């Protein structure tokens, strides 16, 4: 199936806001994003910038791309700001494509303004245009993430009606990190989650990661489909050469799950993604056990990444014990569409 992208020439010498023109804007946008987000851009962000530069060389041919990934979709629906004939501001907007009611959620990303043009209200006007568009499209809410120490941006978003959901820290453990010495954890048994235990796993997540606190993590709302995967989702992971393993620690009567560790990897990926859920009364013990296990198992297989709530400070100390290092601290914010 081919997705037709409108590439009519909307470029104008007039300063101000306008919709993105994929034919002309991808190169300047890549330059802007690399400049504005240099301090916080991870490997995925750098790969996105490279992809944008590659696509920019396609010119009119970009209109016949097969399908459209989230990067291109977000850029296509977004807005740019022109000043003195230069592209100096950007916002990307795209539908979340999540299950259930979450299908009406939208993501706002890449809100950036060239340093020479900041504090002139450009970001505010780009954001308002995005909010207006989401409202016209019948959106339910919009989500964004912002660096926790970017107080100026957070003030702008608060003025526009966004509220804080939760702070999250991205932790990274290098494959070069020291392997932890052998330890013994008596009376703690780790096993794989049984298929029929998805409801117990979901109940633990409801307790720890409720929707009003951002769900499971960035772009992962709390929804049963993340715990009881339909066949089409399992097939998609298989086709994309992705693997997913879920380790659990059960209560003595085996009726509850007290701790869960998701291990998600891709055949060609350079890192393994972890998700850790531990009941509060067992933090400091079961998170230690699971992180010890995974660091012993993956000590030479590449980087381990974990996005975890910043307010779970006990687990943070365990992560540091196993040579995870904080890479970025962000706040997830939400705007409920009037």
């Amino acid at each position: 199936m081919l997705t037709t992208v409108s590439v009519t020439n909307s470029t104008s010498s007039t300063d101000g806001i306008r919709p993105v023109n994929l034919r002309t804007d991808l190169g300047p946008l890549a330059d802007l994003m690399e400049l504005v987000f240099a301090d916080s851009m991870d490997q995925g962000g750098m790969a996105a910038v490279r992809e944008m530069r590659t696509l920019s060389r396609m010119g009119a041919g970009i209109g016949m791309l097969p399908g459209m990934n989230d990067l291109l979709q977000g850029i296509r629906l977004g807005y740019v700001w022109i000043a003195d004939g230069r592209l100096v501001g950007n916002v990307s907007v795209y539908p979340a494509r999540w299950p259930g009611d979450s299908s009406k959620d939208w993501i706002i990303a890449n809100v950036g303004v060239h340093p020479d043009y900041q504090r002139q209200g450009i970001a505010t006007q780009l954001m308002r245009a995005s909010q207006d568009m989401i409202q016209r499209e019948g959106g339910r809410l919009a989500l964004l993430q912002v660096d926790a120490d970017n107080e100026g941006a957070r003030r702008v978003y608060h003025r526009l009606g966004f509220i804080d959901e939760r702070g999250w820290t991205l932790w990274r453990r290098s494959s070069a990190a020291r392997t932890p010495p052998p330890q013994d954890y008596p009376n703690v048994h780790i096993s794989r989650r049984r298929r029929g235990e998805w409801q117990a796993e979901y109940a633990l997540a409801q307790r720890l990661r409720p929707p009003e606190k951002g769900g499971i993590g960035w772009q992962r709302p709390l929804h049963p489909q993340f715990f009881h995967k339909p066949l089409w989702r399992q097939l998609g992971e298989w086709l994309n050469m992705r693997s997913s393993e879920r380790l659990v620690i059960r209560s003595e009567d085996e009726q509850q799950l007290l701790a869960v560790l998701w291990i998600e990897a891709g055949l060609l990926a350079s890192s393994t993604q972890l998700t850790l859920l531990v009941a509060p009364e067992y933090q400091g013990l079961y998170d230690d056990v699971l992180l010890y296990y995974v660091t012993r198992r993956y000590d030479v297989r590449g980087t381990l990444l974990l996005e975890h709530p910043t307010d779970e400070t006990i687990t943070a100390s365990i992560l540091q014990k196993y040579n995870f290092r904080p890479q970025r601290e962000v706040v997830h914010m939400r705007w409920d569409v009037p």
Side-chain angles (χ1 to χ4, degrees):
M1 177 179 177
L2 294 179
T3 300
T4 302
V5 180
S6 175
V7 292
T8 55
N9 191 355
S10 61
T11 304
S12 169
S13 60
T14 303
D15 288 355
I17 194 170
R18 65 164 171 80
V20 169
N21 181 334
L22 286 178
R23 180 188 293 174
T24 60
D25 292 341
L26 284 177
L29 276 174
D31 294 338
L32 178 68
M33 291 170 61
E34 190 171 45
L35 173 66
V36 172
F37 303 115
D39 294 336
S40 60
M41 189 175 292
D42 57 14
Q43 291 183 349
M46 290 185 285
V49 167
R50 290 194 297 270
E51 183 178 354
M52 289 167 64
R53 290 204 169 101
T54 299
L55 291 171
S56 71
R57 292 192 284 270
M58 295 181 65
I62 200 171
M64 295 301 290
L65 285 176
M68 186 179 297
N69 61 20
D70 283 344
L71 169 69
L72 203 59
Q73 174 85 337
I75 292 172
R76 181 182 73 89
L77 295 175
Y79 298 90
V80 294
W81 190 276
I82 306 299
D84 304 321
R86 302 166 57 195
L87 193 156
V88 301
N90 173 71
V91 61
S92 299
V93 193
Y94 56 95
R97 307 183 194 282
W98 294 333
D101 289 342
S102 299
S103 63
K104 296 181 180 180
D105 295 351
W106 287 71
I107 304 297
I108 297 177
N110 303 326
V111 184
V113 178
H114 191 285
D116 293 345
Y117 294 86
Q118 292 177 1
R119 297 179 178 85
Q120 298 180 24
I122 294 174
T124 297
Q125 295 190 64
L126 289 167
M127 286 293 298
R128 283 177 176 157
S130 301
Q131 290 175 289
D132 289 344
M133 187 269 285
I134 291 169
Q135 195 165 25
R136 289 194 305 270
E137 294 293 327
R140 183 185 70 149
L141 60 84
L143 300 169
L144 59 78
Q145 64 177 3
V146 58
D147 287 323
D149 59 0
N150 192 344
E151 296 180 2
R154 292 176 67 183
R155 283 195 297 269
V156 169
Y157 300 145
H158 284 143
R159 286 198 299 268
L160 293 168
F162 282 79
I163 61 173
D164 295 346
E165 285 190 332
R166 198 171 197 177
W168 297 77
T169 301
L170 177 64
W171 296 86
R172 180 180 183 274
R173 186 182 192 274
S174 169
S175 59
R178 178 177 55 86
T179 303
Q183 298 182 43
D184 183 26
Y185 296 95
N187 303 320
V188 178
H189 179 64
I190 300 173
S191 61
R192 287 185 174 86
R193 197 206 77 179
R194 303 174 188 131
R195 183 169 178 81
E197 290 182 308
W198 75 268
Q199 290 175 312
E201 184 184 44
Y202 184 53
L204 179 63
Q206 286 177 306
R207 181 183 177 192
L208 299 175
R209 308 283 173 86
E212 63 272 16
K213 285 197 169 186
I216 309 167
W218 180 240
Q219 299 204 40
R220 280 184 161 185
L222 183 65
H223 192 277
Q225 280 194 17
F226 285 99
F227 301 85
H228 184 56
K229 296 181 181 178
L231 182 60
W232 63 266
R233 186 181 289 273
Q234 297 178 47
L235 181 60
E237 289 184 354
W238 181 77
L239 292 174
N240 289 303
M241 295 184 289
R242 294 195 59 82
S243 64
S244 178
E245 183 179 7
R246 303 200 175 185
L247 304 178
V248 302
I249 299 175
R250 301 181 181 89
S251 60
E252 289 187 8
D253 61 8
E254 297 200 354
Q255 298 302 304
Q256 293 180 298
L257 298 186
L258 304 177
V260 175
L261 179 68
W262 297 359
I263 305 172
E264 299 170 284
L267 181 63
L268 303 178
S270 61
S271 61
T272 297
Q273 185 73 43
L274 308 178
T275 302
L276 182 63
L277 304 171
V278 180
E281 58 270 29
Y282 293 98
Q283 289 179 8
L285 174 59
Y286 289 168
D287 43 6
D288 195 317
V289 174
L290 289 168
L291 289 168
Y292 167 75
Y293 174 85
V294 77
T295 51
R296 291 279 296 181
R297 176 174 162 185
Y298 287 90
D299 63 318
V300 294
R301 295 197 198 176
T303 301
L304 297 177
L305 298 176
L306 173 69
E307 182 189 40
H308 203 74
T310 304
D311 55 16
E312 293 189 4
T313 55
I314 295 175
T315 300
S317 65
I318 303 298
L319 286 162
Q320 292 175 323
K321 171 183 175 181
Y322 290 111
N323 295 305
F324 284 81
R325 296 292 177 257
Q327 298 298 297
R328 187 184 182 195
E329 185 177 334
V330 300
V331 177
H332 295 181
M333 305 185 72
R334 183 182 79 247
W335 174 64
D336 296 302
V337 179

